[in-house]
Amino acid sequence: MDGFSDLNLFALVARHRNLAAAAREIGVTPPAVSKRLAQLERRLGVRLMNRTTRRLSLTPEGELYLANGLRILDELSELEQLVGRGRGEPTGMLRVNASFGFGRAYIAPAISAFVERYPAMQIQLHLTDRPLNLQDEGFDVGIRFGEAPDARVNARLLLANRRMACASPAYLQRNGTPATPHDLARHACIVLRENESAYGTWHFSRGKRTETVKVNGALSTNDGGAALQWALDGRGIVVRSEWELRGPIESGALVPLLGAWTLPNADIHAIYLERHRLSAKLRTFIDFLGDYLRAS
């Protein structure tokens, strides 16, 4: 099993691109990891990584070893799942990426419920302000909004989710209620700077008719939670996802606007790499997550 052990270590270091980070994860020292990698390279007779003081990069041989090695590790995991299926529960590690707001509100509680049901599972949740590349960062599954971003990944719809324009009653009392999307150009709009979307451009549709509005206002941010709070404070009109707005709308703290018009959807997907399509533990996790979100 030394070969599998070395392969697991190499995959871990390749994921982190950093000896110290990999060493922390498995509870050893960086020199111990470096020594194991050097022994692996001597055994294979090729250099797998180029080392600098800041970061590691894979050689062409290292890329080949990683790509095929991950497939072998997946197949081994599947074999263990198949043999141990009589126990009735998945085992192993999953690394999950999600956004800060949705990750804290829904994914973290879902994971807590998941490991309560499947105590043999281990989950690493990594929250970020923007989606990470699953392949480059070594994640098994990512939680994404809208369309699946990359043709190289698979996507499973977890929950339908609309985007909506809203404002507080106090703001609407002072400034009036927009009747059409183009009325928004005369309003204070809270602009969110995120991902690569066009800054301050909102797209509406109604049947076959579309309207694109360039909005602006005194406030902008890269954080959805801050934008929502400003809207609650009466500072302007905001566009956010239904999962964030349901509570404030039901309480009357926010009023939905332009109900006859729709914005690009923000459906919630689990995305995963093609090589994971048969993973029993991943399939179980995604099924559980979809059920949890729909129930929530």
Side-chain angles (χ1 to χ4, degrees):
M1 291 299 291
D2 285 347
F4 282 117
S5 177
D6 287 343
L7 182 53
N8 268 306
L9 177 67
F10 178 75
L12 177 67
V13 175
R15 186 179 80 212
H16 285 291
R17 295 294 202 272
N18 182 281
L19 288 179
R24 281 195 302 270
E25 183 163 328
I26 58 177
V28 300
T29 64
V33 174
S34 181
K35 182 178 178 180
R36 283 278 302 279
L37 286 176
Q39 290 172 343
L40 173 62
E41 289 178 326
R42 283 197 299 271
R43 180 165 64 83
L44 296 176
V46 295
R47 177 176 288 277
L48 299 174
M49 289 186 169
N50 294 314
R51 300 160 174 79
T52 68
T53 55
R54 288 182 172 271
R55 195 165 173 82
L56 304 174
S57 61
L58 298 184
T59 65
E61 293 80 6
E63 294 282 3
L64 179 65
Y65 188 67
L66 178 64
N68 288 276
L70 289 174
R71 176 181 53 78
I72 292 169
L73 291 174
D74 285 342
E75 290 175 353
L76 177 62
S77 176
E78 281 302 306
L79 177 59
E80 292 175 345
Q81 289 288 324
L82 180 64
V83 172
R85 191 162 290 168
R87 293 181 300 174
E89 67 175 55
T91 63
M93 167 76 75
L94 287 176
R95 300 186 74 241
V96 182
N97 175 231
S99 62
F100 280 112
F102 191 72
R104 290 179 184 135
Y106 287 94
I107 303 303
I111 288 174
S112 179
F114 180 76
V115 296
E116 182 177 9
R117 179 177 297 182
Y118 301 109
M121 285 294 300
Q122 301 175 53
I123 308 292
Q124 292 183 355
L125 175 63
H126 192 74
L127 301 181
T128 54
D129 59 354
R130 63 181 58 204
L132 297 181
N133 184 287
L134 301 186
Q135 178 74 56
D136 293 345
E137 302 294 337
F139 287 99
D140 299 291
V141 59
I143 310 304
R144 303 287 186 268
F145 290 83
E147 300 298 327
D150 192 324
R152 294 173 299 175
V153 301
N154 293 319
R156 171 89 69 85
L157 177 65
L158 298 176
L159 189 68
N161 180 52
R162 296 177 296 165
R163 287 189 175 96
M164 304 168 68
C166 288
S168 71
Y171 173 85
L172 297 174
Q173 186 175 9
R174 292 194 309 269
N175 300 281
T177 301
T180 70
H182 279 294
D183 290 344
L184 295 172
R186 298 184 286 102
H187 281 265
C189 294
I190 299 167
V191 179
L192 193 66
R193 299 173 178 264
E194 62 178 356
N195 301 336
E196 303 301 326
S197 56
Y199 172 72
T201 303
W202 293 354
H203 304 276
F204 292 85
S205 61
R206 182 179 182 180
K208 295 183 178 181
R209 181 180 174 188
T210 62
E211 289 194 20
T212 298
V213 186
K214 181 68 174 178
V215 300
N216 55 69
L219 299 177
S220 65
T221 178
N222 69 337
D223 181 74
L228 180 60
Q229 185 58 55
W230 287 338
L232 291 166
D233 293 340
R235 302 295 177 245
I237 297 172
V238 72
V239 167
R240 297 303 296 148
S241 288
E242 184 179 13
W243 72 266
E244 283 185 289
L245 297 174
R246 184 180 294 112
I249 289 174
E250 289 177 353
S251 70
L254 290 177
V255 177
L257 305 173
L258 303 170
W261 295 82
T262 60
L263 287 147
N265 76 61
D267 289 347
I268 302 165
H269 291 87
I271 66 168
Y272 52 100
L273 299 177
E274 178 69 20
R275 63 183 175 85
H276 287 311
R277 66 189 182 280
L278 297 177
S279 170
K281 62 183 178 181
L282 184 58
R283 183 169 58 248
T284 302
F285 176 73
I286 291 175
D287 288 345
F288 181 92
L289 191 56
D291 291 342
Y292 182 94
L293 294 177
R294 287 187 291 273
S296 298

